[in-house]
Amino acid sequence: MPITLLWAVDVYGRVYSLSTAGQRWVRADDMLLELKRVTAGKERCWGIGCDHHIYLNIMPSETSIRYREETYENQRWNPVDGFTDVLLPTDRWPWSDVTGMNPQPLNSFQLPSRSWEWEGDWYVDQSCGEPGQTGGWEYAVDFPANFSPDKKWNSCVRRRRWIRYRRYTAQGTWAKIPLDNPRKPPLPLCDISCGGWEMSDQSGRYPYLWGVTQQGQVWFREGIHPRVPEGTSWEEVEVPKEVAQLSAGPGDLLWALLWDGNLLVRTGLSLDSPTGTSWLEVDSPSKEVEALHVAVGVNVVWVVTKDYKVWFRRGVNSHNPCGSGWISIGGEMMMVDVGLNDQVWAVGEDRGVYFRMGVTQSEPSGNGWIPVSAQWGSNKDLIPPRDECEISGQLTEASQGSALSGTDSDSELGPTNSEHSATPILEAAAPSIVPLGGTESSAPPQELKEASSNPQQDAPKAFIPASDSFINSLVSDRDRTSTMQPSITEMLQEESVEQPPAPLLPTLPTRGHDVPFMNVDLEGAEAARGAQTAGRLLNDVLGSLENSQGIGEEDGPVWTWVSGGGCDVDANSHISWLSPTGPLSSSLSLTPVQSAAWSEQPQQQEHQEITRKPLERSNSVWVRKGALRWWRDWKPQRWVDVGVALEQSTRLDGRKDSIFFVYYTQYDEKKHLQVFINEVTALVPVLQDCNYTFAVYTAERTKQRWPLVLAAPSEKEMNDWLELLSECCCKCRGIAGAPSTQALWSITSKGDIMVHEPSLSLEASAHAMACDLMFWRQIPGHLRCIESNSLGLVWGIGWDGTAWVYSGSFGQHTSQVNHEMNLQTDVRSIHVYENQRWNPMTGYTDKGLPTDRPMWSDETGLMECTKGNTHPPSPQWSWVSEWAVDFSVPGGTDKEGWQYAADFPTTFHGHKTMKDFVRRRRWTRRCKITVRGPWKMVPPIHLSDISLMPCLAQSKMEHVPVWALNDKGDVLCRLGVSPQNPAGSSWLHVGTDQPFKSISIGGANQVWAITRDGAVFYRGSVSPQNPAGECWYHIPSPPRQNLRQLSVGRTSVFAVDESSNLWYRQGLTPSYPQGSAWELISNNVSKVSVGPLDQVWIIADRVPGFPTEPPGAVCHRMGVGPMQPKGLSWDYGIGGGWEHISVRGNSAEPLRVPHLPPSGPPRSPALQHPATQVNGSAVCV
């Protein structure tokens, strides 16, 4: 690791540097140098002097800084004198630049400052042509033209270049940059900030310098270059309000602090526009307290408010320079600075330098402050954190205001232990910092008692000057009343005995708060030094300037400014003066779960007063970044490479708040999307372009039917992001462990299993929970359909007909479920259709009419699908067979697998007639998926449908009735199913005279089924004693309609026909369970599920108003009740791409409230087609 420097300034204006390879602070060689503040970058450091000049210190290097000055000598030929410097009036200057527009005689070149010297005299550049033969001349026909070293008969003009080098001689020293060099010098500057060096390809070679004048103007230093380190001129940048301080990051971030305490953010910073384009205002972190200081890094922003609280800005990125919110960070600091690698340095309220420990890319907020404990002077003592009062006697008023107390070697409290001076500072919520270092030294009891006799509330408020003059503040006469101030050790003892709340250290007065930023606290520092001199020498309180400087040299600096922009350290660096000796030494880099765990560790201290003080936890921020692809929301829709980041903050009470960011670039403009994790309603893997794709749903995006679709480069990365996002969503909503027995289960078209934990308001008749606000989380596994009930029984069927039963726990911790993961496989067939049309010349051929479907298509004929471009449903699937003709097509085929029809699209049949002009045949190929999930296989029969009897959660049943259909349409009844044995023991065959395709069992053992030809049957006499029943009763179907699926609740029956219409069976009573008539409820329905409370949920084919959305949306029937079993309207929720839903486990009854008719139109009205039917005869209205 290269050797870099940490820069700091004390209250006397002295500049110090601390090397990463050294162990002591080193003062600048120039003893007369007085700076107010510094800003460091890579290999350089800028400073503002007390004379308002700008100073620059370039790090010494083996390569010297040389700049080449050049000018061109121009001549024209005339017949009398030949080539001469007498030019035409329209020609360029005799001595000019390369363009000829600006005159540049040799004597016009001057050194920009005293830091440069000429290396030699001017000489002619001989690089053109043969050296020494042409004299360096280049010839051309006229100005301007292409010059060449060859002289021709028509060469009327010539030029040659003169060169002179100058060298920068001030490397390693502080050099003054003259302000009279620019044409328009800025007013005296009060703040500067160096940054922007990471925007170029060559890191560190092209920094930018920003400045703020005392009048609140912002200036930008132009022309900074590796060969011109000082820059060339100043350019003013317009600001809407007066600026007090600013900070520039290594990248394209620039924040400014206003005099009113708010902040400005500069946008549009780039290499082409280094000064940016516009300003955006950001409010202070606290409405009551204004901001005092701001510091910017690559992707972080830190702010200190006037009460010395430290704040961290969330979501800051070059795509989102304003960020998204503030997080309070422990510790009380006067200023902070963000250095390389986003490491944070600070000057505490005790005027000590601190380092933020544990700052990494994944945890940019860090997890604790530790003091910078470097050696000072010629001895081996470390500079201790200034946490205890040096003398138990009197302190001046200024020392109280600036908290300039320190521990000296001859202090009455005892010597400072270097081992404890580096102990990390616990971040407390109280306004005062209570360090752990130096607590082994205690004052005599008499002194403690004497000091405690003075009430703390009698201490006068501090005086902090606003003057920038160093000399005036030192030599000015001050006669201020000194006041007793108890030490921190005394306050801790008083706290443990008499005052439970932590005592507050003296803070700045009200008038000090009126100034959002002050330069150097000179009077307060001198007052503190005068008090220390009086306590030790019993002499004159205020000495000469030499005495003051001597005291500062002896006692160590009292810091007022620090800059780590050039200090290359990170959380894993092993720096001697950054090595904590406390319990944090092995916890520099923590996981998001452990981000605040260090503060919970017991601290072993010898003082009982400190051990009784509770340990405070600090807020922390954890970030996970990555690169994905995003399906762009607007046209033309295409995949875009984006950067993503998940930012999670942990609050003091343990709550977690997360934001998901998507960063993209549009027309060279950086933009971003952000999704609050507590607003995410589902994370669903989707099928799109055979990518590892998943969709992020929110309530607003569900209404718009446009989720955030992202694709990962690999399956592992997609699963990692899904797991991470899902975990954050569950933590934000307080969901942990396995699903509850009341959960709603659903299946996507991809086969993923989703679960929703219902609330009591989900089925409330009034003020029911909106369907688009439901949160769905994924359960490992893969199924085609699923059924559940309130006793914790969940059955599912795969695409290959295999039956699976849920073997996981309910309502327990996730770690207990992981041990129950089983291997689960599923196989499905992918179909494509080969289409042909007959013509008189060639017979059947693949040359169709222009209006025909593609000759290779899907079943609908709307999408072209060939055997070559058809892939498995997702990358998780793999082919297990080759393409083959499928002869098991409904309707039959001929011996070659063809089906015939008169035209597209009509009903196909398996034999050719004279009127059949088109034909098709289906090709099939099998694919397989293997996953792990909490599912146990139920062998050996393959099923096509399954149904569990719904019941209330408090029901007591020895055996739960389970009815199913096998792949041949036979009816089966599962015996021995119970919560203790969810898989049951054996199958019982129920006799039928024709195959069935749908079956459902409701309350009171009502069994309804649909045959493959659409007829409806009711099974009679089913009871616990006779689980298979006795006989089938035929129920008339709706006229001219064939039913395909039904669901039976406690007292209601709903069915879906082949035309996607939803029907309700009227007249169901205990004495006449077959009902009396069918009533049409709605169309646009694919599947229906009726729960134990007769609640109705469906999978809708489409959502009205969104024709391009994929089919399959979850919908809830609103207004269902005992007096209105059919409900009133539909509430559309998440979709599309949903295949199945089961609400038969949700028996949580809402509170009974009077039902009020809804006001206004329904949330998502469905197409209503009311119809009535009497005794099986439907009359459509």
Side-chain angles (χ1 to χ4, degrees):
M1 187 175 66
I3 299 176
T4 54
L5 299 179
L6 174 68
W7 295 88
V9 180
D10 68 358
V11 293
Y12 296 98
R14 299 190 292 252
V15 184
Y16 300 87
S17 62
L18 180 59
S19 173
T20 55
Q23 297 182 357
R24 67 179 70 248
W25 289 99
V26 178
R27 185 179 174 184
D29 295 335
D30 189 355
M31 293 298 178
L32 299 179
L33 178 67
E34 300 168 359
L35 298 184
K36 294 188 290 185
R37 63 190 58 179
V38 293
T39 175
K42 278 193 172 181
E43 302 176 354
R44 69 196 65 210
C45 184
W46 303 76
I48 300 180
C50 294
D51 55 358
H52 302 294
H53 279 270
I54 303 298
Y55 290 81
L56 174 63
N57 190 323
I58 300 293
M59 303 299 106
S61 63
E62 298 179 357
T63 305
S64 60
I65 300 176
R66 302 171 69 239
Y67 185 79
R68 183 179 66 188
E69 300 280 9
E70 60 180 30
T71 185
Y72 285 84
E73 180 184 2
N74 306 305
Q75 292 186 355
R76 175 176 287 276
W77 181 86
N78 64 66
V80 178
D81 301 324
F83 282 100
T84 178
D85 57 358
V86 179
L87 305 179
L88 298 177
T90 58
D91 283 342
R92 59 182 59 185
W93 302 90
W95 294 85
S96 69
D97 58 2
V98 65
T99 64
M101 303 298 295
N102 302 313
Q104 289 186 170
L106 296 180
N107 56 6
S108 66
F109 290 87
Q110 303 293 331
L111 293 174
S113 66
R114 297 180 179 179
S115 302
W116 297 85
E117 67 178 9
W118 295 111
E119 287 191 347
D121 204 352
W122 290 95
Y123 66 91
V124 176
D125 183 12
Q126 300 286 344
S127 61
C128 298
E130 295 294 333
Q133 295 183 4
T134 63
W137 291 103
E138 295 178 303
Y139 298 87
V141 177
D142 201 355
F143 300 116
N146 295 326
F147 287 85
S148 66
D150 299 328
K151 181 179 178 182
K152 301 179 181 179
W153 65 271
N154 58 350
S155 298
C156 299
V157 295
R158 68 178 182 179
R159 71 175 185 182
R160 61 179 175 181
R161 181 171 61 178
W162 290 76
I163 295 176
R164 192 179 189 183
Y165 283 92
R166 53 184 169 93
R167 181 168 58 89
Y168 189 77
T169 60
Q171 285 184 283
T173 61
W174 287 94
K176 180 187 294 186
I177 299 178
L179 294 179
D180 55 352
N181 185 34
R183 291 184 294 271
K184 184 182 178 183
L187 296 172
L189 297 177
C190 64
D191 186 54
I192 57 174
S193 181
C194 177
W197 59 80
E198 295 291 348
M199 285 198 292
S200 63
D201 296 335
Q202 299 178 353
S203 175
R205 293 178 59 84
Y206 298 91
Y208 297 149
L209 182 66
W210 296 78
V212 178
T213 65
Q214 293 182 348
Q215 282 71 30
Q217 301 171 337
V218 175
W219 291 77
F220 176 77
R221 184 69 175 175
E222 294 181 322
I224 298 179
H225 190 270
R227 295 188 298 272
V228 189
E230 299 172 318
T232 56
S233 61
W234 290 96
E235 176 188 354
E236 185 177 1
V237 179
E238 297 293 334
V239 289
K241 299 180 181 180
E242 293 183 356
V243 175
Q245 181 251 336
L246 56 72
S247 178
D252 50 3
L253 291 182
L254 176 69
W255 282 54
L257 174 66
L258 300 176
W259 283 98
D260 60 7
N262 286 343
L263 300 128
L264 288 180
V265 182
R266 189 64 173 175
T267 62
L269 293 173
S270 64
L271 286 175
D272 300 329
S273 178
T275 58
T277 56
S278 61
W279 293 96
L280 297 176
E281 187 168 354
V282 177
D283 293 335
S284 175
S286 176
K287 295 182 180 180
E288 295 79 12
V289 184
E290 299 174 356
L292 177 66
H293 183 83
V294 62
V296 175
V298 177
N299 292 317
V300 297
V301 174
W302 294 71
V303 166
V304 177
T305 51
K306 287 186 177 181
D307 56 357
Y308 301 146
K309 301 300 181 185
V310 183
W311 298 81
F312 176 83
R313 186 69 174 176
R314 298 183 56 185
V316 175
N317 188 278
S318 59
H319 297 259
N320 181 26
C322 294
S324 58
W326 295 103
I327 297 295
S328 177
I329 302 296
E332 295 187 359
M333 303 295 168
M334 301 192 68
M335 62 85 61
V336 293
D337 184 78
V338 182
L340 299 179
N341 307 317
D342 284 341
Q343 302 299 309
V344 184
W345 310 84
V347 174
E349 194 180 10
D350 59 350
R351 298 293 181 152
V353 176
Y354 292 90
F355 173 72
R356 186 69 179 174
M357 187 177 60
V359 174
T360 61
Q361 290 186 353
S362 61
E363 195 169 358
S365 64
N367 48 54
W369 296 100
I370 59 174
V372 175
S373 302
Q375 297 177 5
W376 167 252
S378 59
N379 54 22
K380 300 294 184 180
D381 295 336
L382 301 179
I383 297 180
R386 303 178 178 274
D387 49 1
E388 295 188 1
C389 186
E390 178 187 9
I391 305 174
S392 60
Q394 298 181 349
L395 293 180
T396 62
E397 180 182 13
S399 66
Q400 299 172 20
S402 56
L404 297 178
S405 59
T407 305
D408 208 324
S409 59
D410 56 348
S411 171
E412 295 181 5
L413 296 179
T416 300
N417 192 332
S418 61
E419 178 181 356
H420 291 276
S421 63
T423 305
I425 303 303
L426 292 182
E427 301 169 339
S432 61
I433 298 178
V434 184
L436 299 182
T439 58
E440 295 184 357
S441 302
S442 58
Q446 292 82 1
E447 290 186 359
L448 294 178
K449 183 176 180 181
E450 222 176 63
S452 62
S453 62
N454 290 332
Q456 183 180 355
Q457 57 269 19
D458 295 336
K461 294 187 176 180
F463 172 79
I464 295 184
S467 174
D468 292 336
S469 175
F470 171 67
I471 301 297
N472 293 339
S473 63
L474 289 182
V475 302
S476 61
D477 295 333
R478 294 180 298 277
D479 185 14
R480 306 189 184 278
T481 304
S482 59
T483 309
M484 291 294 294
Q485 171 69 14
S487 65
I488 293 181
T489 306
E490 298 175 65
M491 291 190 291
L492 287 175
Q493 292 179 349
E494 294 175 0
E495 173 196 86
S496 61
V497 177
E498 298 177 2
Q499 301 176 359
L504 305 181
L505 290 179
T507 55
L508 293 179
T510 305
R511 64 172 178 176
H513 284 201
D514 294 337
V515 183
F517 191 82
M518 291 166 290
N519 294 317
V520 182
D521 188 6
L522 299 177
E523 294 191 18
E526 177 60 20
R529 297 307 177 195
Q532 296 173 2
T533 306
R536 238 182 346 259
L537 305 178
L538 300 177
N539 208 333
D540 188 12
V541 175
L542 298 176
S544 62
L545 179 62
E546 292 84 358
N547 289 337
S548 298
Q549 292 176 344
I551 294 172
E553 294 287 348
E554 179 183 353
D555 298 340
V558 180
W559 305 114
T560 187
W561 199 266
V562 66
S563 179
C567 189
D568 190 4
V569 299
D570 54 35
N572 298 320
S573 299
H574 299 284
I575 308 296
S576 58
W577 38 269
L578 283 182
S579 299
T581 60
L584 297 181
S585 58
S586 61
S587 305
L588 290 181
S589 180
L590 304 179
T591 63
V593 180
Q594 300 169 335
S595 59
W598 66 271
S599 60
E600 300 176 355
Q601 299 177 3
Q603 307 292 324
Q604 301 297 330
Q605 302 293 335
E606 295 183 7
H607 282 275
Q608 187 177 2
E609 293 80 10
I610 295 183
T611 57
R612 292 178 181 177
K613 184 177 180 63
L615 298 179
E616 305 276 350
R617 291 191 302 178
S618 170
N619 295 336
S620 63
V621 177
W622 172 83
V623 177
R624 160 75 187 275
K625 298 181 181 180
L628 299 175
R629 302 186 70 198
W630 168 51
W631 184 251
R632 196 167 62 180
D633 289 353
W634 58 86
K635 295 182 179 180
Q637 296 172 359
R638 60 183 179 87
W639 289 106
V640 179
D641 294 331
V642 297
V644 296
L646 175 63
E647 184 180 282
Q648 181 184 92
S649 66
T650 304
R651 303 183 183 275
L652 293 176
D653 55 3
R655 291 183 302 162
K656 297 183 183 297
D657 182 18
S658 304
I659 306 177
F660 185 64
F661 296 94
V662 177
Y663 304 109
Y664 66 96
T665 303
Q666 181 185 8
Y667 304 118
D668 296 331
E669 183 180 357
K670 295 180 178 180
K671 297 185 177 182
H672 77 285
L673 301 173
Q674 68 179 28
V675 177
F676 292 95
I677 294 299
N678 57 2
E679 298 179 358
V680 172
T681 56
L683 299 162
V684 188
V686 295
L687 307 176
Q688 189 165 351
D689 298 341
C690 297
N691 292 322
Y692 299 97
T693 311
F694 64 95
V696 180
Y697 284 86
T698 62
E700 186 63 29
R701 287 183 171 270
T702 299
K703 294 177 182 178
Q704 300 174 358
R705 323 310 299 179
W706 193 261
L708 181 66
V709 181
L710 300 168
S714 64
E715 179 183 2
K716 181 181 181 303
E717 190 164 350
M718 182 190 73
N719 293 334
D720 289 345
W721 275 109
L722 283 175
E723 182 179 357
L724 182 61
L725 292 172
S726 179
E727 181 182 357
C728 292
C729 291
C730 292
K731 288 182 179 179
C732 290
R733 298 175 180 267
I735 300 175
S740 66
T741 58
Q742 307 285 326
L744 277 67
W745 296 73
S746 63
I747 304 295
T748 67
S749 57
K750 186 175 174 291
D752 296 303
I753 306 168
M754 311 298 294
V755 172
H756 169 70
E757 297 295 338
S759 62
L760 294 178
S761 62
L762 184 61
E763 300 295 342
S765 57
H767 308 290
M769 178 181 179
C771 199
D772 51 31
L773 297 178
M774 299 171 59
F775 171 68
W776 296 90
R777 57 172 173 152
Q778 187 177 359
I779 298 297
H782 190 275
L783 296 173
R784 178 180 59 85
C785 67
I786 197 168
E787 279 288 286
S788 64
N789 79 343
S790 303
L791 300 180
L793 298 176
V794 182
W795 281 59
I797 302 176
W799 285 92
D800 57 358
T802 304
W804 300 88
V805 62
Y806 180 72
S807 61
S809 303
F810 286 92
Q812 298 183 5
H813 197 271
T814 307
S815 61
Q816 301 177 6
V817 182
N818 292 336
H819 299 290
E820 303 172 5
M821 295 292 177
N822 304 314
L823 194 64
Q824 185 181 13
T825 60
D826 200 0
V827 178
R828 66 180 298 183
S829 298
I830 305 298
H831 306 298
V832 296
Y833 285 82
E834 181 183 4
N835 308 304
Q836 291 186 354
R837 176 174 287 276
W838 181 87
N839 66 67
M841 300 299 295
T842 59
Y844 285 101
T845 179
D846 57 359
K847 304 297 182 182
L849 299 177
T851 57
D852 281 346
R853 61 181 59 187
M855 291 298 100
W856 288 88
S857 68
D858 59 355
E859 184 177 7
T860 63
L862 301 177
M863 182 182 300
E864 183 178 8
C865 298
T866 64
K867 293 189 291 184
N869 65 9
T870 300
H871 303 282
S874 69
Q876 290 89 346
W877 292 81
S878 59
W879 294 116
V880 293
S881 70
E882 297 297 329
W883 289 104
V885 176
D886 187 4
F887 294 93
S888 60
V889 183
T893 65
D894 63 6
K895 60 181 181 179
E896 295 181 354
W898 291 104
Q899 290 182 309
Y900 299 87
D903 201 355
F904 299 118
T906 54
T907 303
F908 286 84
H909 46 267
H911 59 279
K912 183 180 181 305
T913 65
M914 295 295 295
K915 297 180 180 180
D916 294 332
F917 295 98
V918 297
R919 68 177 183 178
R920 71 175 186 181
R921 63 178 173 182
R922 187 168 74 176
W923 292 78
T924 182
R925 191 177 186 183
R926 293 162 60 84
C927 56
K928 181 179 180 180
I929 187 174
T930 302
V931 296
R932 300 191 70 88
W935 301 93
K936 181 180 178 181
M937 186 173 63
V938 182
I941 302 175
H942 286 187
L943 305 180
S944 62
D945 197 13
I946 189 76
S947 179
L948 282 69
M949 190 179 80
C951 60
L952 299 180
Q954 61 270 21
S955 300
K956 302 295 183 181
M957 290 190 297
E958 183 179 357
H959 298 289
V960 179
V962 176
W963 287 66
L965 301 177
N966 65 9
D967 54 356
K968 297 180 180 179
D970 298 329
V971 180
L972 304 174
C973 179
R974 189 68 173 177
L975 303 179
V977 177
S978 65
Q980 295 75 25
N981 183 24
S985 57
S986 62
W987 290 105
L988 175 62
H989 182 270
V990 180
T992 59
D993 56 356
Q994 54 183 318
F996 285 73
K997 62 180 178 182
S998 178
I999 194 167
S1000 179
I1001 179 172
N1005 292 280
Q1006 305 175 70
V1007 179
W1008 291 64
I1010 302 175
T1011 62
R1012 290 186 177 178
D1013 60 2
V1016 184
F1017 285 87
Y1018 171 80
R1019 186 69 175 177
S1021 303
V1022 178
S1023 65
Q1025 295 75 22
N1026 186 16
E1030 293 182 356
C1031 61
W1032 292 101
Y1033 295 91
H1034 180 262
I1035 306 297
S1037 300
R1040 300 181 300 276
Q1041 298 294 335
N1042 293 328
L1043 300 181
R1044 69 181 180 191
Q1045 187 256 337
L1046 55 76
S1047 182
V1048 185
R1050 180 166 57 180
T1051 61
S1052 61
V1053 177
F1054 285 81
V1056 180
D1057 62 22
E1058 296 291 349
S1059 301
S1060 298
N1061 297 314
L1062 180 65
W1063 298 85
Y1064 168 72
R1065 188 65 177 174
Q1066 295 180 340
L1068 270 70
T1069 62
S1071 60
Y1072 192 65
Q1074 296 90 344
S1076 58
W1078 291 101
E1079 179 179 354
L1080 181 63
I1081 302 299
S1082 175
N1083 65 354
N1084 186 36
V1085 178
S1086 173
K1087 297 285 180 63
V1088 63
S1089 178
V1090 183
L1093 305 178
D1094 286 335
Q1095 64 267 42
V1096 181
W1097 293 69
I1098 65 168
I1099 299 296
D1101 280 336
R1102 62 187 184 276
V1103 177
F1106 299 92
T1108 60
E1109 185 185 33
V1114 175
C1115 299
H1116 182 204
R1117 188 67 174 174
M1118 307 298 293
V1120 175
M1123 304 303 296
Q1124 187 70 35
K1126 299 174 293 184
L1128 299 174
S1129 62
W1130 292 109
D1131 183 17
Y1132 283 79
I1134 196 168
W1138 252 250
E1139 185 75 19
H1140 188 87
I1141 188 171
S1142 175
V1143 298
R1144 299 168 69 82
N1146 181 22
S1147 61
E1149 298 191 51
L1151 298 177
R1152 299 294 182 180
V1153 294
H1155 175 70
L1156 298 177
S1159 59
R1163 287 171 49 86
S1164 300
L1167 301 178
Q1168 304 288 342
H1169 295 277
T1172 60
Q1173 177 196 0
V1174 180
N1175 294 328
S1177 300
V1179 180
C1180 297
V1181 180

